[in-house]
């Protein structure tokens, strides 16, 4: 007797299951019910059709009801919604497009209802200018809207995979795009230290990125929509895309007896079977087991959904297949950049109290001597026994195959030692003799075997450095172009003959650019009796943590002499070189030029974008043009004087002094704080670069108003309790009158429509004023970075003096 199998949902998991069932059983009666009009369409291609990378709409339709019937003899019923399931009678209730209801019995029921976009109860959420993207009709609505004449701007709310893809594709269509997320960083599967690279790519391609700020309300008007954020900032655009997550489409089975998880997902076992006999479930609507940590989770990805559909079909056909869990392997294109991950990130492991270790490497995508070798960043997470817990990679080439190799190794139960032994294909255009995956394994193995003690960039920021020596083992040119405050520079090649300069009674924290030279230095030092830690990932990983989203306007770098880009005297191709290679090549080339001559340099190291800017400032050479085209960065540099010593002895004169403004804010008085921010905002409105350096009592202005739970010593906690917490607790320097004067001045300012201190601070941050908190003062006063407002940089006297050198006004308040 043939089986009658009903499949609820005809996209990824449902369509795969139905096709597999037919291949296994020619006699079964198979019916697919799809609530919408389309089945088996390419969900992941929808943003790229909107962005017109995919030109033809028809290419999104992998299968149609007609093609499924012709090839697989499957009865596909679109516009048919399942409204109820009676598990006792083995009947489903169906409502078709006309509203007519009927019943259909089954022998087996396979549920693949998917998920729907979350639309929270926010004021104004029902505007017709707010869209979500889950299916073909959603795609048609968005595309027809942006095709209209006069539509030039969009806000994307939610910076997950779909949100980032939509932001990119809308930008490619020529729209001004703002991407907003309530989280501190984009792309939740990535840890913060990796996500910042994708954030930089978004910003450098013109995306206005707003993080740590959710949506409070929407307000519709005739031709635009106004979005008010939790910070009270307002954004106006022609349309908004809501992409803040999905929720399972399981409302129709809530009363059926089929067990659901706490968030409404269907609970299944390893056979994809529910608690009810002959009912299976797959896809975005189910809870699965996390392959790494063994906990139940929900992972709405197309790959797992298709595999689950196949396994459910096998078990209905009595083939006894098992789904062993989801590891969440995923990848995304961010303009020219690629980001991929697999397994658990640090945030997940910390939440489950699972011990782990981390290493970072920054190799080239293929042999560095072969043209177009591009930098690649890999983060590997593993435990004490060598089990791989997760990996993340970001770069411009070769990211996908490295994460795929690591994901396959994890799936097969391999360890970090197995990564060292993998024999991967090699030729100079494709890889290196030691593939980056091998190198990640080597680095992890060195940690586990005790050959090196590493510290991550995040750990370093919180590390007690009271009895330590910070050792920079890079070259002098790299050190002078930017280094960690307080570091001693001894290049690794000179380390053996300069060991006596280091104190054996102090722990040494060594770092280089990407970690390799730091490891070599650590091996030298440890074998000479020094206690040493190496910062894994080096200066490159650390410097990324200082990134704050702001639009890079390269036009401001251009002067009249650069209008003809072909007007240069020498060219330098530094593509394929990793830092410090490009800078060293630039210095050598500039030494050969006469004053006034121009060098055109092209590099592929993403860090070169900031490095060349800093190098030119420090050497008094003029950066007259800087452009980024995907992975290639091109700079035009004019030699300003015959400076043979390069950055070792930069010559500066009064005429070269910048027009920047610097303020040192020492006071924590309300009136002086207001004056400081009025001056700063006034200066920035005149087009000046402004840096505000807050030290001692001035730090109280930057404190968050609410209490932040951080670990402190008794004395630090007492200090923090005594001092005012945030701008709202500040007192007047005169006539405070036990707080009455403070309230009076705030009331007068409000009545006379004078901007409050809090609004002035927000304007300063919004307008790009550099607000810097003095690290030394924070240490003295027991303040932690977490207690300060978002957007505040941490720096030292060196940072302040560097900014002051480029300023013609320096105020002490």
């Amino acid at each position: 007797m043939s089986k009658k199998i009903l499949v609820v949902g005809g996209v990824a998991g449902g369509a795969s299951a139905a096709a597999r069932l037919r291949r296994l059983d020619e006699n079964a009666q198979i019916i697919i019910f799809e609530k919408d009009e389309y089945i088996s369409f390419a969900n992941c291609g929808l943003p790229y059709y909107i962005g017109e990378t995919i030109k033809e709409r028809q290419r999104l339709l992998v299968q149609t009801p007609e093609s499924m019937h012709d090839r697989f003899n499957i009865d596909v019923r679109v516009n048919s919604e399942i409204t109820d399931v009676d598990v006792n009678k083995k009947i489903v209730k169906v409502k078709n497009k006309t509203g007519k209801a009927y019943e259909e019995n089954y022998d087996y029921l396979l549920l693949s209802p998917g998920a729907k976009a979350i639309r929270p109860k926010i004021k104004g959420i029902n505007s017709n200018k707010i869209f979500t993207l889950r299916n073909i009709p959603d795609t048609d609505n968005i595309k027809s809207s942006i095709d209209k004449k006069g539509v030039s701007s969009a806000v994307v709310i939610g910076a997950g995979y779909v949100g980032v893809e939509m932001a990119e594709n809308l930008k490619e269509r020529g729209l001004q795009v703002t991407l907003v997320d309530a989280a501190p960083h984009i792309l939740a599967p990535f840890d913060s230290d990796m996500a910042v690279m994708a954030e930089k790519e978004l910003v450098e391609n013109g995306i206005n990125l707003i993080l740590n700020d959710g949506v409070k309300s929407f307000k519709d008007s005739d031709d635009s929509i106004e979005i008010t954020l939790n910070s009270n900032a307002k954004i106006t655009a022609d349309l908004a895309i809501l992409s803040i997550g999905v929720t399972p489409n399981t409302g129709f089975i809530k009363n059926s007896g089929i067990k659901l998880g706490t968030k409404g997902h269907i609970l299944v076992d390893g056979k994809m079977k529910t608690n009810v006999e002959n009912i299976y479930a797959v896809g975005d609507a189910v809870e699965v087991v996390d392959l790494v940590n063994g906990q139940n989770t929900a992972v709405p990805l197309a790959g797992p959904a298709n595999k689950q559909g196949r396994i459910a079909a096998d078990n209905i056909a009595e083939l006894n297949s098992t789904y062993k869990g989801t590891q969440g392997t995923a990848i995304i294109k961010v303009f020219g950049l690629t980001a991929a991950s697999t397994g658990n990130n640090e945030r997940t492991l910390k939440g489950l109290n699972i011990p782990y270790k981390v290493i970072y490497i920054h190799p080239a995508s293929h042999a560095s001597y072969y043209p177009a070798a591009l930098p690649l960043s890999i983060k590997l997470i593993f435990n004490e026994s060598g089990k791989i817990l997760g990996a993340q990679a970001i770069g411009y080439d070769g990211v996908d195959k490295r994460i795929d190799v690591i994901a396959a190794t994890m799936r097969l139960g391999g360890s970090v030692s197995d990564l060292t032994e993998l024999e991967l294909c090699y030729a100079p255009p494709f890889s290196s003799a030691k593939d980056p995956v091998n190198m990640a394994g080597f680095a992890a193995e060195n940690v586990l075997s005790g050959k090196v003690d590493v510290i991550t960039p995040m750990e370093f920021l919180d590390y007690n450095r009271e009895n330590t020596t910070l050792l920079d083992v890079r070259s002098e040119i790299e050190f002078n172009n930017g280094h960690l405050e307080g570091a001693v520079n001894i290049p690794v090649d000179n380390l053996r003959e300069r060991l006596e300069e280091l104190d054996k009674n102090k722990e040494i924290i060594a770092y280089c650019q990407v970690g390799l030279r730091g490891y070599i230095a650590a091996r030298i030092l440890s074998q000479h009796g020094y206690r040493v830690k190496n910062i894994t990932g080096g200066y490159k990983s650390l410097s990324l943590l200082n990134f704050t989203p702001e639009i890079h306007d390269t036009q401001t770098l251009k002067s009249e002499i650069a209008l003809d880009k072909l007007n240069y005297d020498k060219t330098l191709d530094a593509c394929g070189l990793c830092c410090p290679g490009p800078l060293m090549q630039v210095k050598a080339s500039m030494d050969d030029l006469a004053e006034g001559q121009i060098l055109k340099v092209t590099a592929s190291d993403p860090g070169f974008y900031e490095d060349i800017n800093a190098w030119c400032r420090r050497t008094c050479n003029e950066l007259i043009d800087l452009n980024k085209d995907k992975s290639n960065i091109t700079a035009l540099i004019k030699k300003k004087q015959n400076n043979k010593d390069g950055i070792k002895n930069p010559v500066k004169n009064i005429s070269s002094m910048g027009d920047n403004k610097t303020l040192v804010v020492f006071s924590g008085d309300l009136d002086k704080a207001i004056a400081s921010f009025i001056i700063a905002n006034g200066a920035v409105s005149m087009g000046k670069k402004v840096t505000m350096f807050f030290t001692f009592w001035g730090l109280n202005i930057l404190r968050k108003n609410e209490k932040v739970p951080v670990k402190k010593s008794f004395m630090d906690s007492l200090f923090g309790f005594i001092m005012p917490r945030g701008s709202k607790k500040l007192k007047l320097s005169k006539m405070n009158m036990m707080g009455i004067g403070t309230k009076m001045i705030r009331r007068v300012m409000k009545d006379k429509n004078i901007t409050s201190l809090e609004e002035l601070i927000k304007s300063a941050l919004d307008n790009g004023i550099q607000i810097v908190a003095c690290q030394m003062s924070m240490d003295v006063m027991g303040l932690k970075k977490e207690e300060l407002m978002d957007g505040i940089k941490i720096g030292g006297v060196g940072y302040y003096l560097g900014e002051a050198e480029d300023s013609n006004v320096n105020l002490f308040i």
Side-chain angles (χ1 to χ4, degrees):
M1 185 176 177
S2 63
K3 300 171 183 174
K4 183 176 181 180
I5 306 165
L6 305 186
V7 179
V8 180
V11 191
S16 292
R20 173 71 169 170
L21 280 164
R22 173 57 73 224
R23 293 193 297 270
L24 296 175
D25 187 347
E26 182 64 21
N27 298 315
Q29 182 184 359
I30 305 171
I31 306 174
I32 294 178
F33 297 96
E34 171 53 49
K35 181 180 177 180
D36 295 320
E37 185 179 350
Y38 300 90
I39 65 161
S40 195
F41 58 87
N43 308 62
C44 301
L46 302 182
Y48 299 100
Y49 171 66
I50 293 170
E52 296 189 338
T53 298
I54 298 172
K55 304 290 186 184
E56 299 172 11
R57 182 178 181 274
Q58 191 63 28
R59 288 183 173 271
L60 298 173
L61 307 177
V62 180
Q63 291 282 0
T64 64
E66 295 75 22
S67 65
M68 283 290 280
H69 180 271
D70 293 343
R71 178 165 294 182
F72 296 106
N73 190 25
I74 293 173
D75 181 2
V76 180
R77 304 179 189 179
V78 296
N79 297 312
S80 296
E81 180 182 2
I82 305 298
T83 59
D84 194 17
V85 177
D86 189 328
V87 300
N88 296 315
K89 295 181 180 179
K90 290 190 175 182
I91 289 173
V92 299
K93 294 182 179 179
V94 189
K95 183 173 68 175
N96 64 20
K97 188 174 184 179
T98 64
K100 180 182 177 182
Y102 64 95
E103 295 180 347
E104 196 77 47
N105 68 304
Y106 63 85
D107 295 315
Y108 289 89
L109 179 63
L110 192 147
L111 302 172
S112 182
K116 58 186 176 183
I118 294 173
R119 291 184 75 97
K121 294 181 180 178
I122 297 175
K123 183 179 178 182
I125 191 74
N126 294 321
S127 166
N128 60 9
K129 296 184 182 67
I130 301 174
F131 302 87
T132 57
L133 182 62
R134 287 293 295 173
N135 53 36
I136 297 291
D138 290 345
T139 307
D140 292 338
N141 289 337
I142 295 172
K143 193 168 189 305
S144 64
S145 294
I146 66 174
D147 285 344
K148 292 177 183 175
K149 188 176 181 180
V151 174
S152 60
S153 61
V155 174
V156 179
I157 300 155
Y161 286 106
V162 175
V164 170
E165 288 171 346
M166 279 305 305
E168 175 185 347
N169 279 280
L170 292 172
K171 184 67 181 177
E172 297 287 9
R173 285 293 306 273
L175 275 66
Q176 293 295 318
V177 181
T178 299
L179 179 59
V180 178
D181 200 290
H185 293 282
I186 68 172
L187 299 173
F190 294 84
D191 288 313
S192 301
D193 47 19
M194 297 295 282
V196 289
M197 290 183 253
E199 292 167 5
K200 283 169 66 77
E201 186 74 8
L202 288 170
V203 169
E204 288 171 3
N205 281 277
I207 301 293
N208 180 27
L209 184 59
I210 299 175
L211 299 174
N212 236 359
D213 208 353
V215 175
K216 181 187 291 184
S217 66
F218 299 96
K219 185 179 179 182
D220 215 349
S221 66
D222 291 339
D223 54 0
S224 63
I225 185 166
E226 181 183 80
I227 299 103
T228 301
L229 304 181
N230 289 333
S231 63
N232 290 322
K234 298 183 187 299
I235 310 165
T236 301
D238 297 318
L239 58 90
I241 310 291
L242 202 61
S243 182
I244 58 176
V246 295
T247 185
N249 235 333
T250 55
F252 69 99
I253 57 171
K254 281 187 176 178
N255 300 317
S256 67
I258 299 171
K259 286 186 178 178
L260 303 177
T262 54
K263 295 184 178 180
H265 295 87
I266 304 168
L267 300 180
V268 294
D269 62 15
K271 308 296 182 184
M272 306 312 299
K273 186 178 178 181
T274 70
N275 64 300
V276 178
E277 191 69 23
N278 290 4
I279 298 182
Y280 295 77
V282 301
D284 294 356
V286 305
E287 277 192 12
V288 294
V289 174
D290 187 301
L291 185 72
V292 174
N293 60 53
Q295 303 292 313
N296 271 22
T297 186
V299 183
L301 293 172
N306 280 282
K307 294 176 182 68
Q308 292 159 18
R310 179 184 176 90
I311 288 170
D314 283 356
N315 288 301
I316 291 173
E318 301 176 3
L319 291 184
N320 195 29
S321 295
T322 302
Y323 187 71
K324 297 176 182 177
T326 298
Q327 64 196 90
T329 306
I331 191 166
I332 185 173
K333 172 184 176 293
V334 186
F335 290 97
L337 199 68
T338 303
S341 68
T342 188
N344 287 181
N345 58 23
E346 285 195 72
R347 189 166 48 253
T348 299
L349 295 170
K350 284 179 182 177
L352 295 172
N353 293 318
I354 296 175
Y356 65 90
K357 296 180 179 295
V358 174
I359 61 94
Y360 302 81
I361 61 169
H362 302 284
S365 58
H366 59 243
S368 58
Y369 57 81
Y370 188 87
L374 300 171
L376 173 68
S377 296
I378 298 177
K379 177 177 185 175
L380 187 68
I381 308 174
F382 52 99
N383 66 14
E384 196 69 58
S385 66
K387 178 184 177 181
I388 305 168
L389 304 177
Q392 299 159 42
I394 295 184
Y396 292 92
D397 184 38
V399 169
D400 51 346
K401 67 179 180 180
R402 271 65 193 226
I403 287 297
D404 280 345
V405 168
I406 295 172
T409 305
M410 290 176 64
R411 176 66 64 168
L412 298 174
S415 66
V416 296
S417 295
D418 293 312
L419 296 182
T420 69
E421 297 175 10
L422 291 174
E423 186 176 334
L424 304 172
C425 58
Y426 160 61
F430 305 104
S431 184
S432 301
K434 290 184 287 189
D435 188 87
V437 170
N438 300 136
M439 293 167 65
F442 295 146
E445 207 171 51
N446 286 336
V447 172
L448 292 177
S449 64
K451 290 183 176 64
V452 65
D453 189 4
V454 299
I455 181 172
T456 69
M458 294 296 289
E459 289 170 340
F460 172 77
L461 294 178
D462 294 327
Y463 199 70
N464 183 354
R465 300 196 288 271
E466 184 177 349
N467 195 37
T468 63
T469 298
L470 188 56
L471 177 64
D472 188 320
V473 299
R474 299 175 300 162
S475 65
E476 191 174 359
I477 189 173
E478 292 173 274
F479 180 82
N480 287 328
N481 203 48
H483 58 265
L484 301 181
E485 184 181 359
V488 175
N489 181 217
I490 304 179
V492 67
D493 294 340
N494 308 123
L495 185 57
R496 289 181 180 87
E497 58 264 31
R498 295 177 61 182
L499 286 173
E500 71 280 356
E501 298 177 28
L502 299 172
D503 187 350
K504 277 193 175 181
N505 294 317
K506 290 186 176 183
E507 181 182 48
I508 295 172
I509 300 178
Y511 74 91
C512 63
Q513 187 66 18
V514 298
L516 178 58
R517 286 172 289 173
Y519 166 67
I520 295 169
R523 292 300 300 154
I524 294 171
L525 291 165
S526 63
Q527 293 178 79
H528 282 84
Y530 292 85
R531 292 179 296 118
V532 58
K533 281 183 168 68
N534 179 35
I535 301 178
T536 180
Y539 187 76
K540 182 171 183 175
S541 289
L542 266 168
S543 61
L544 287 169
L545 296 177
N546 293 324
F547 172 71
T548 52
E550 56 182 343
I551 294 293
H552 286 249
D553 182 9
T554 57
Q555 298 299 318
T556 60
L557 296 169
K558 298 180 179 180
S559 63
E560 291 181 5
I561 196 169
L563 291 178
D564 179 6
K565 292 189 178 183
L566 297 178
N567 185 22
Y568 47 83
D569 301 284
K570 185 177 181 179
T571 62
L572 169 63
D573 184 0
C575 290
L577 297 178
C578 295
C579 187
L583 283 183
M584 297 176 71
Q585 294 282 345
V586 167
K587 180 185 182 303
S589 296
M590 292 297 289
D591 285 348
D592 293 336
L593 294 181
E595 184 174 355
Q597 289 189 308
I598 295 172
L599 172 71
K600 178 185 178 183
V601 55
T602 305
S604 55
D605 182 357
F608 186 72
Y609 194 92
E610 281 85 12
D611 285 351
I612 194 61
N613 214 328
W615 186 87
C616 288
R617 289 199 307 270
R618 286 172 172 81
T619 59
C620 298
N621 292 299
E622 183 184 356
L623 180 60
I624 54 179
D625 191 22
L626 182 62
N627 279 304
K628 182 176 182 181
D629 180 17
K630 294 184 178 178
S631 59
N632 284 337
I633 299 160
T634 302
L636 287 176
I637 308 164
K638 180 181 179 183
K639 187 159 184 175
K640 294 294 286 185
Q641 75 272 325
N642 189 15
N643 181 10
K644 287 291 184 183
D645 290 328
I647 58 176
K648 185 175 181 180
N649 294 304
V651 179
K652 292 193 177 182
N653 51 52
I654 295 174
S655 64
S656 69
M657 183 178 291
D659 193 21
N660 303 335
K661 316 299 175 187
T662 311
L663 290 80
V664 179
V665 184
F666 177 85
S667 172
D669 295 327
L670 175 63
D671 44 342
K672 295 175 183 177
I674 293 171
S676 301
F677 278 97
I678 288 174
I679 294 169
N681 279 295
V684 80
S685 69
M686 297 169 65
K688 313 301 181 185
K689 180 185 176 185
V690 181
T691 299
M692 302 179 74
F693 189 77
F694 288 76
T695 183
F696 282 97
W697 314 118
L699 290 172
N700 292 317
I701 303 169
L702 305 182
R703 292 180 73 185
K704 292 177 179 176
N705 294 311
E706 68 276 7
K707 186 175 182 180
V708 178
V710 290
K711 288 185 178 180
K712 290 186 176 185
S713 67
F714 172 76
M715 189 60 69
D716 287 348
S717 298
L718 182 62
F719 223 136
F721 177 77
I722 295 171
M723 294 186 299
R725 187 186 297 121
S727 60
K728 295 181 180 178
K729 300 290 186 181
L730 302 181
K731 299 177 182 180
L732 290 175
S733 61
K734 304 290 183 182
M735 296 176 59
N736 187 57
M737 299 181 292
M738 300 181 69
I740 297 174
T742 302
K743 292 180 179 178
M744 288 174 61
I745 196 71
R746 284 188 177 273
R747 177 60 185 269
V748 169
M749 290 174 69
K750 184 177 180 181
D751 291 345
K752 295 186 177 181
N753 202 27
I754 298 173
T755 306
S756 69
L757 173 58
E758 290 70 34
E759 291 170 324
L760 288 168
I761 294 172
K762 183 180 181 303
S763 294
L765 288 167
D766 290 345
N767 291 327
I769 292 175
Q770 300 292 314
I771 299 181
V772 184
C774 175
Q775 180 67 69
M776 181 275 292
S777 299
M778 289 176 64
D779 293 340
V780 170
M781 301 173 75
L783 291 177
K784 304 293 184 183
K785 184 178 180 180
E786 296 89 341
E787 297 179 87
L788 303 183
M789 296 182 297
D790 297 329
I792 306 301
K793 292 188 176 181
I794 309 299
V797 174
Y799 181 92
Y800 157 68
L801 291 174
E803 295 298 312
E805 283 185 11
D806 294 330
S807 301
N808 59 5
V809 171
N810 188 25
L811 301 178
F812 188 93
I813 300 176

